[in-house]
Coordinates of all heavy atoms in Angstrom, one line a residue:
M1 N 0.8 -1.2 0.0 CA 0.0 -0.1 0.0 C 0.8 1.3 0.0 O 0.4 2.3 -0.5 CB -1.0 0.0 1.2 CG -2.1 -1.0 1.1 SD -3.1 -0.7 -0.4 CE -4.2 0.6 0.2
T2 N 2.1 1.1 0.5 CA 2.8 2.4 0.6 C 3.3 2.9 -0.8 O 3.5 4.1 -1.0 CB 4.2 2.2 1.4 OG1 4.9 1.0 0.8 CG2 3.8 1.8 2.8
Q3 N 3.3 2.0 -1.8 CA 3.6 2.4 -3.2 C 2.6 3.4 -3.7 O 2.9 4.3 -4.4 CB 3.8 1.3 -4.1 CG 2.6 0.4 -4.2 CD 2.7 -0.8 -5.1 OE1 3.8 -1.0 -5.6 NE2 1.7 -1.6 -5.2
Y4 N 1.3 3.2 -3.4 CA 0.2 4.1 -3.8 C 0.2 5.3 -3.0 O 0.0 6.4 -3.5 CB -1.1 3.3 -3.7 CG -1.2 2.1 -4.6 CD1 -1.3 0.8 -4.1 CD2 -1.1 2.2 -6.0 CE1 -1.3 -0.3 -4.8 CE2 -1.1 1.2 -6.8 CZ -1.3 -0.1 -6.3 OH -1.3 -1.2 -7.1
K5 N 0.6 5.2 -1.7 CA 0.6 6.4 -0.8 C 1.6 7.3 -1.3 O 1.4 8.5 -1.3 CB 0.9 5.9 0.6 CG 0.8 6.9 1.6 CD 1.0 6.4 3.1 CE 0.9 7.6 4.0 NZ 1.1 7.1 5.4
D6 N 2.8 6.8 -1.7 CA 3.9 7.8 -2.3 C 3.4 8.5 -3.6 O 3.7 9.6 -3.7 CB 5.1 6.9 -2.5 CG 5.8 6.4 -1.3 OD1 5.4 7.0 -0.1 OD2 6.6 5.4 -1.3
K7 N 2.8 7.7 -4.4 CA 2.3 8.3 -5.7 C 1.2 9.4 -5.4 O 1.2 10.5 -6.0 CB 1.7 7.2 -6.6 CG 2.7 6.3 -7.2 CD 2.1 5.3 -8.1 CE 3.2 4.4 -8.7 NZ 2.5 3.4 -9.6
V8 N 0.3 9.1 -4.5 CA -0.7 10.0 -4.1 C -0.1 11.3 -3.5 O -0.5 12.4 -3.9 CB -1.7 9.4 -3.1 CG1 -2.7 10.5 -2.6 CG2 -2.5 8.4 -3.8
E9 N 0.9 11.1 -2.6 CA 1.6 12.2 -2.0 C 2.3 13.1 -3.0 O 2.2 14.4 -3.0 CB 2.5 11.8 -0.9 CG 3.1 12.9 -0.1 CD 2.1 13.7 0.6 OE1 1.1 13.2 1.1 OE2 2.4 15.0 0.7
K10 N 2.9 12.4 -3.9 CA 3.7 13.2 -5.1 C 2.7 14.0 -5.9 O 2.9 15.2 -6.2 CB 4.5 12.2 -5.9 CG 5.3 12.8 -6.9 CD 6.1 11.9 -7.8 CE 6.9 12.5 -8.8 NZ 7.7 11.6 -9.6
Q11 N 1.6 13.4 -6.3 CA 0.6 14.1 -7.1 C -0.1 15.2 -6.3 O -0.3 16.3 -6.9 CB -0.5 13.1 -7.5 CG -1.6 13.7 -8.4 CD -1.0 14.2 -9.8 OE1 0.0 13.6 -10.2 NE2 -1.6 15.1 -10.4
R12 N -0.3 15.1 -5.0 CA -0.8 16.1 -4.2 C 0.2 17.3 -4.1 O -0.3 18.5 -4.3 CB -0.9 15.6 -2.8 CG -1.7 16.6 -1.8 CD -2.1 16.1 -0.6 NE -3.2 15.0 -0.7 CZ -3.2 13.9 -0.1 NH1 -2.2 13.5 0.7 NH2 -4.2 13.0 -0.3
E13 N 1.5 17.1 -4.1 CA 2.5 18.1 -4.2 C 2.5 18.9 -5.5 O 2.6 20.1 -5.5 CB 3.9 17.6 -3.8 CG 4.1 17.1 -2.4 CD 5.4 16.5 -2.1 OE1 6.2 16.4 -3.1 OE2 5.6 16.0 -1.0
I14 N 2.4 18.1 -6.6 CA 2.3 18.7 -7.9 C 1.1 19.6 -8.0 O 1.2 20.7 -8.5 CB 2.3 17.6 -9.0 CG1 3.7 17.0 -9.0 CG2 2.0 18.3 -10.3 CD1 3.7 15.7 -9.9
L15 N 0.0 19.2 -7.6 CA -1.2 20.0 -7.7 C -1.2 21.2 -6.8 O -1.7 22.3 -7.2 CB -2.5 19.2 -7.2 CG -2.9 18.1 -8.2 CD1 -4.0 17.2 -7.6 CD2 -3.3 18.6 -9.6
E16 N -0.6 21.1 -5.7 CA -0.4 22.3 -4.8 C 0.5 23.3 -5.4 O 0.3 24.5 -5.4 CB 0.2 21.9 -3.5 CG 0.3 22.9 -2.4 CD -1.0 23.5 -2.0 OE1 -2.1 22.7 -2.0 OE2 -1.1 24.7 -1.7
Q17 N 1.6 22.8 -6.1 CA 2.5 23.8 -6.8 C 1.8 24.5 -8.0 O 1.9 25.7 -8.2 CB 3.8 23.1 -7.3 CG 4.8 24.0 -8.0 CD 5.3 25.0 -7.0 OE1 5.5 24.8 -5.8 NE2 5.5 26.2 -7.5
E18 N 1.0 23.8 -8.7 CA 0.2 24.3 -9.8 C -0.7 25.3 -9.3 O -1.0 26.3 -10.0 CB -0.5 23.2 -10.6 CG 0.3 22.3 -11.4 CD -0.4 21.2 -12.2 OE1 -1.7 21.2 -12.0 OE2 0.2 20.5 -12.9
K19 N -1.3 25.1 -8.2 CA -2.3 26.0 -7.6 C -1.6 27.4 -7.3 O -2.1 28.5 -7.6 CB -2.9 25.5 -6.4 CG -3.9 26.3 -5.6 CD -4.4 25.6 -4.4 CE -5.3 26.6 -3.6 NZ -5.8 25.9 -2.4
L20 N -0.4 27.3 -6.7 CA 0.4 28.5 -6.4 C 0.8 29.3 -7.7 O 0.9 30.4 -7.7 CB 1.6 28.1 -5.5 CG 1.3 27.7 -4.1 CD1 2.6 27.2 -3.5 CD2 0.6 28.7 -3.3
D21 N 1.2 28.4 -8.7 CA 1.7 29.0 -10.0 C 0.5 29.7 -10.7 O 0.8 30.7 -11.4 CB 2.3 28.0 -10.9 CG 3.6 27.4 -10.5 OD1 4.2 28.1 -9.6 OD2 4.1 26.4 -11.0
N22 N -0.7 29.3 -10.7 CA -1.8 29.8 -11.3 C -2.5 30.9 -10.5 O -3.5 31.5 -11.0 CB -2.8 28.8 -11.7 CG -2.2 27.9 -12.8 OD1 -1.4 28.3 -13.6 ND2 -2.6 26.6 -12.8
Q23 N -2.0 31.2 -9.4 CA -2.6 32.3 -8.6 C -2.3 33.6 -9.1 O -1.1 33.9 -9.4 CB -2.1 32.1 -7.1 CG -2.9 33.0 -6.1 CD -2.4 32.6 -4.7 OE1 -1.4 32.1 -4.5 NE2 -3.3 32.9 -3.8
I24 N -3.3 34.5 -9.1 CA -3.0 35.9 -9.7 C -2.4 36.7 -8.6 O -2.8 36.8 -7.5 CB -4.4 36.5 -10.1 CG1 -5.0 35.8 -11.3 CG2 -4.1 38.0 -10.5 CD1 -6.3 36.3 -11.7
T25 N -1.3 37.4 -9.0 CA -0.5 38.2 -8.1 C -0.8 39.6 -8.2 O -0.6 40.4 -7.3 CB 1.0 37.9 -8.2 OG1 1.5 38.2 -9.5 CG2 1.3 36.4 -7.7
A26 N -1.1 40.1 -9.5 CA -1.3 41.5 -9.7 C -2.3 41.7 -10.9 O -2.2 40.9 -11.9 CB 0.0 42.2 -10.0
L27 N -3.1 42.7 -10.8 CA -3.9 43.2 -11.9 C -3.6 44.6 -12.2 O -3.5 45.4 -11.2 CB -5.4 43.0 -11.6 CG -5.9 41.6 -11.6 CD1 -7.4 41.7 -11.0 CD2 -6.0 41.1 -13.0
D28 N -3.4 45.0 -13.4 CA -3.1 46.3 -13.7 C -4.1 46.8 -14.9 O -4.2 46.1 -15.9 CB -1.7 46.5 -14.3 CG -1.3 47.8 -14.5 OD1 -1.9 48.8 -14.1 OD2 -0.2 48.0 -15.1
F29 N -4.9 47.8 -14.6 CA -5.8 48.4 -15.5 C -5.3 49.6 -16.1 O -5.0 50.6 -15.4 CB -7.2 48.6 -14.9 CG -7.8 47.4 -14.3 CD1 -7.6 47.0 -12.9 CD2 -8.5 46.6 -15.1 CE1 -8.1 45.8 -12.5 CE2 -9.2 45.4 -14.6 CZ -9.0 45.0 -13.3
R30 N -5.2 49.8 -17.4 CA -4.7 51.0 -18.0 C -5.9 51.7 -18.7 O -6.5 51.1 -19.5 CB -3.6 50.6 -19.1 CG -2.5 49.7 -18.6 CD -1.3 50.6 -18.2 NE -0.2 49.8 -17.5 CZ 0.9 49.5 -18.0 NH1 1.2 49.8 -19.3 NH2 1.8 48.9 -17.3
Y31 N -5.9 53.0 -18.4 CA -6.9 53.8 -19.0 C -6.3 54.9 -19.9 O -5.1 55.4 -19.6 CB -7.7 54.5 -17.9 CG -8.6 53.5 -17.2 CD1 -8.1 52.9 -15.9 CD2 -9.8 53.3 -17.6 CE1 -9.0 52.0 -15.3 CE2 -10.7 52.4 -16.9 CZ -10.3 51.8 -15.7 OH -11.0 50.9 -15.0
K32 N -7.0 55.3 -20.9 CA -6.6 56.4 -21.7 C -7.9 57.2 -22.0 O -8.8 56.6 -22.6 CB -6.0 55.9 -23.0 CG -5.3 57.0 -23.9 CD -4.6 56.5 -25.0 CE -3.9 57.6 -25.8 NZ -3.1 57.0 -26.9
N33 N -7.9 58.5 -21.7 CA -9.1 59.4 -21.9 C -10.3 58.8 -21.2 O -11.4 58.7 -21.9 CB -9.4 59.6 -23.4 CG -8.2 60.4 -24.1 OD1 -7.5 61.1 -23.4 ND2 -8.0 60.1 -25.3
N34 N -10.2 58.3 -20.0 CA -11.3 57.7 -19.2 C -11.9 56.5 -19.9 O -13.1 56.2 -19.6 CB -12.4 58.8 -18.8 CG -11.9 59.8 -18.0 OD1 -11.0 59.6 -17.2 ND2 -12.4 61.0 -18.2
E35 N -11.1 55.7 -20.7 CA -11.6 54.6 -21.3 C -10.6 53.4 -21.1 O -9.4 53.7 -21.3 CB -11.7 54.8 -22.8 CG -12.6 53.8 -23.6 CD -12.8 54.3 -25.0 OE1 -13.2 55.3 -25.2 OE2 -12.7 53.4 -25.8
L36 N -11.1 52.3 -20.7 CA -10.2 51.1 -20.5 C -9.6 50.7 -21.8 O -10.2 50.5 -22.8 CB -11.1 50.0 -19.9 CG -10.3 48.7 -19.6 CD1 -9.3 49.0 -18.4 CD2 -11.3 47.6 -19.2
V37 N -8.2 50.6 -21.7 CA -7.5 50.3 -22.9 C -7.0 48.8 -22.9 O -7.1 48.1 -23.8 CB -6.3 51.3 -23.2 CG1 -5.5 50.8 -24.4 CG2 -6.8 52.6 -23.3
E38 N -6.4 48.5 -21.7 CA -5.8 47.1 -21.5 C -5.8 46.7 -20.1 O -5.8 47.5 -19.2 CB -4.4 47.0 -22.1 CG -3.4 47.9 -21.4 CD -2.0 47.9 -22.2 OE1 -2.0 47.8 -23.4 OE2 -1.0 48.0 -21.5
I39 N -5.8 45.4 -19.9 CA -5.7 44.8 -18.6 C -4.6 43.8 -18.6 O -4.4 42.9 -19.4 CB -7.1 43.9 -18.3 CG1 -8.2 44.8 -18.3 CG2 -6.9 43.3 -17.0 CD1 -9.6 44.1 -18.3
I40 N -3.7 44.0 -17.6 CA -2.5 43.2 -17.5 C -2.6 42.4 -16.2 O -2.8 42.8 -15.2 CB -1.2 44.0 -17.4 CG1 -1.1 44.9 -18.7 CG2 0.0 43.2 -17.2 CD1 0.1 45.8 -18.6
T41 N -2.6 41.0 -16.4 CA -2.7 40.1 -15.4 C -1.3 39.4 -15.0 O -0.8 38.8 -16.1 CB -3.8 39.0 -15.6 OG1 -5.0 39.8 -16.0 CG2 -4.1 38.1 -14.5
R42 N -0.8 39.4 -13.9 CA 0.4 38.7 -13.5 C 0.1 37.4 -12.7 O -0.8 37.6 -11.7 CB 1.4 39.6 -12.9 CG 1.8 40.7 -13.9 CD 2.9 41.6 -13.2 NE 3.4 42.6 -14.1 CZ 2.8 43.8 -14.2 NH1 1.9 44.1 -13.3 NH2 3.2 44.7 -15.0
Y43 N 0.7 36.4 -13.0 CA 0.6 35.1 -12.2 C 1.8 34.8 -11.4 O 2.9 35.3 -11.6 CB 0.2 33.9 -13.1 CG -1.1 34.2 -13.9 CD1 -1.2 34.8 -15.1 CD2 -2.3 33.7 -13.2 CE1 -2.4 34.9 -15.7 CE2 -3.5 33.8 -13.9 CZ -3.6 34.5 -15.1 OH -4.8 34.7 -15.8
G44 N 1.6 33.8 -10.4 CA 2.7 33.5 -9.5 C 3.9 32.8 -10.2 O 5.0 32.8 -9.7
N45 N 3.7 32.2 -11.3 CA 4.8 31.5 -12.1 C 5.5 32.4 -13.0 O 6.4 31.9 -13.7 CB 4.3 30.2 -12.7 CG 3.3 30.5 -13.8 OD1 2.8 31.7 -14.0 ND2 2.8 29.5 -14.5
G46 N 5.2 33.7 -13.0 CA 6.0 34.7 -13.9 C 5.3 34.9 -15.2 O 5.7 35.7 -16.0
K47 N 4.1 34.3 -15.4 CA 3.4 34.5 -16.7 C 2.6 35.9 -16.6 O 2.1 36.2 -15.5 CB 2.4 33.5 -17.0 CG 1.6 33.5 -18.2 CD 0.9 32.3 -18.6 CE -0.4 32.2 -17.9 NZ -1.3 31.2 -18.3
Q48 N 2.7 36.7 -17.7 CA 2.0 38.0 -17.8 C 1.1 37.9 -19.0 O 1.6 37.7 -20.1 CB 3.0 39.1 -17.8 CG 2.4 40.4 -18.0 CD 3.4 41.5 -17.9 OE1 4.3 41.5 -17.1 NE2 3.3 42.5 -18.8
V49 N -0.2 38.2 -18.8 CA -1.1 38.3 -19.9 C -1.7 39.7 -20.1 O -2.1 40.2 -19.1 CB -2.3 37.3 -19.7 CG1 -3.3 37.2 -20.8 CG2 -1.8 35.8 -19.5
T50 N -1.5 40.2 -21.3 CA -2.0 41.5 -21.6 C -3.3 41.4 -22.5 O -3.1 40.8 -23.6 CB -1.0 42.3 -22.3 OG1 0.2 42.4 -21.5 CG2 -1.5 43.8 -22.6
E51 N -4.4 41.8 -22.0 CA -5.6 41.7 -22.8 C -6.0 43.1 -23.2 O -6.0 44.0 -22.5 CB -6.8 41.1 -21.9 CG -6.6 39.8 -21.4 CD -7.6 39.3 -20.5 OE1 -8.8 39.7 -20.7 OE2 -7.3 38.7 -19.5
Y52 N -6.2 43.2 -24.5 CA -6.6 44.6 -25.1 C -8.0 44.7 -25.3 O -8.7 43.7 -25.7 CB -5.9 44.8 -26.4 CG -4.4 44.8 -26.3 CD1 -3.6 43.6 -26.7 CD2 -3.7 45.9 -25.9 CE1 -2.3 43.6 -26.5 CE2 -2.3 45.9 -25.8 CZ -1.7 44.8 -26.1 OH -0.3 44.8 -26.0
K53 N -8.6 45.9 -25.0 CA -10.1 46.1 -25.2 C -10.4 46.1 -26.7 O -11.5 45.6 -27.1 CB -10.5 47.4 -24.5 CG -12.0 47.6 -24.7 CD -12.5 48.7 -23.7 CE -14.0 48.8 -23.6 NZ -14.8 49.2 -24.6
D54 N -9.5 46.7 -27.4 CA -9.6 46.6 -28.9 C -9.4 45.2 -29.4 O -8.2 44.8 -29.4 CB -8.6 47.7 -29.5 CG -8.9 47.8 -31.0 OD1 -9.7 47.2 -31.6 OD2 -8.0 48.5 -31.6
K55 N -10.4 44.5 -29.8 CA -10.2 43.1 -30.1 C -9.5 42.8 -31.5 O -9.3 41.8 -31.9 CB -11.6 42.4 -30.2 CG -12.2 42.3 -28.8 CD -11.2 41.4 -27.9 CE -11.6 41.4 -26.5 NZ -10.7 40.8 -25.6
R56 N -9.2 44.0 -32.2 CA -8.4 43.8 -33.3 C -6.9 43.4 -33.0 O -6.2 42.8 -33.8 CB -8.4 45.1 -34.2 CG -9.8 45.3 -34.8 CD -9.8 46.6 -35.5 NE -9.7 47.7 -34.5 CZ -9.7 49.0 -34.9 NH1 -9.8 49.4 -36.1 NH2 -9.6 49.9 -33.9
K57 N -6.6 43.8 -31.8 CA -5.3 43.4 -31.3 C -5.3 42.0 -30.5 O -6.3 41.8 -29.8 CB -4.7 44.4 -30.3 CG -4.4 45.8 -30.8 CD -3.8 46.7 -29.8 CE -3.4 48.0 -30.3 NZ -2.9 48.8 -29.2
K58 N -4.4 41.2 -30.7 CA -4.3 39.9 -30.1 C -3.8 40.0 -28.7 O -2.9 40.7 -28.5 CB -3.5 38.9 -31.0 CG -3.6 37.5 -30.6 CD -2.8 36.6 -31.6 CE -2.9 35.2 -31.3 NZ -2.2 34.3 -32.1
D59 N -4.3 39.2 -27.8 CA -3.8 39.2 -26.5 C -2.4 38.7 -26.5 O -2.0 37.8 -27.3 CB -4.7 38.3 -25.6 CG -6.1 38.8 -25.4 OD1 -6.4 40.0 -25.7 OD2 -7.0 38.0 -24.9
K60 N -1.6 39.3 -25.5 CA -0.2 38.9 -25.5 C 0.1 38.1 -24.2 O -0.2 38.6 -23.2 CB 0.6 40.2 -25.6 CG 2.1 40.0 -25.7 CD 2.9 41.3 -26.0 CE 2.4 42.6 -25.1 NZ 3.3 43.7 -25.3
I61 N 0.9 37.0 -24.4 CA 1.3 36.2 -23.2 C 2.8 36.3 -23.2 O 3.5 36.0 -24.2 CB 0.8 34.8 -23.3 CG1 -0.7 34.8 -23.4 CG2 1.4 34.0 -22.1 CD1 -1.2 33.4 -23.6
E62 N 3.4 36.7 -22.0 CA 4.8 36.8 -21.8 C 5.2 36.1 -20.5 O 4.5 36.0 -19.6 CB 5.3 38.3 -21.6 CG 4.9 39.2 -22.8 CD 5.2 40.7 -22.5 OE1 5.1 41.1 -21.3 OE2 5.6 41.3 -23.4
W63 N 6.4 35.5 -20.6 CA 7.0 34.9 -19.4 C 8.1 35.8 -18.9 O 9.1 36.0 -19.6 CB 7.5 33.5 -19.7 CG 6.4 32.6 -20.2 CD1 5.9 32.4 -21.3 CD2 5.6 31.8 -19.3 NE1 5.0 31.5 -21.3 CE2 4.7 31.1 -20.0 CE3 5.7 31.6 -17.9 CZ2 3.8 30.2 -19.5 CZ3 4.8 30.7 -17.3 CH2 3.9 30.0 -18.1
L64 N 8.1 36.2 -17.6 CA 9.0 37.1 -17.0 C 10.1 36.3 -16.3 O 9.9 35.2 -15.8 CB 8.4 38.2 -16.2 CG 7.4 39.0 -16.9 CD1 6.6 39.9 -15.9 CD2 7.9 39.7 -18.0

């Protein structure tokens, strides 16, 4: 039974790390002339997603 217990514990640690990595650490709202232009979302694992209000621009994903 210990072989399964070790696998379960390892998977639990992996899931806990993914939870911390996907946690939002910062939100940045950019305005121009009182109009929302972009939203920047930063995650715990260093990923930064820039969403533009103008849908002609594609959302940008960066790793810091």
Side-chain angles (χ1 to χ4, degrees):
M1 287 304 277
T2 58
Q3 62 184 355
Y4 299 114
K5 186 176 181 181
D6 294 338
K7 289 181 181 180
V8 169
E9 185 61 34
K10 184 177 178 183
Q11 184 64 28
R12 187 173 290 136
E13 290 174 5
I14 291 170
L15 291 173
E16 186 65 31
Q17 184 62 37
E18 286 179 1
K19 182 180 175 184
L20 292 174
D21 287 346
N22 291 330
Q23 190 172 22
I24 295 174
T25 58
L27 284 173
D28 187 13
F29 298 94
R30 305 262 171 110
Y31 290 91
K32 186 174 184 180
N33 297 330
N34 294 329
E35 194 173 316
L36 182 64
V37 177
E38 62 186 35
I39 301 171
I40 300 173
T41 307
R42 292 185 181 94
Y43 294 93
N45 61 357
K47 182 170 81 171
Q48 176 176 319
V49 178
T50 304
E51 300 175 39
Y52 298 99
K53 182 160 190 296
D54 185 3
K55 289 304 172 184
R56 293 176 289 181
K57 291 184 178 181
K58 189 174 182 181
D59 293 347
K60 183 170 50 171
I61 299 174
E62 299 175 327
W63 293 91
L64 304 175

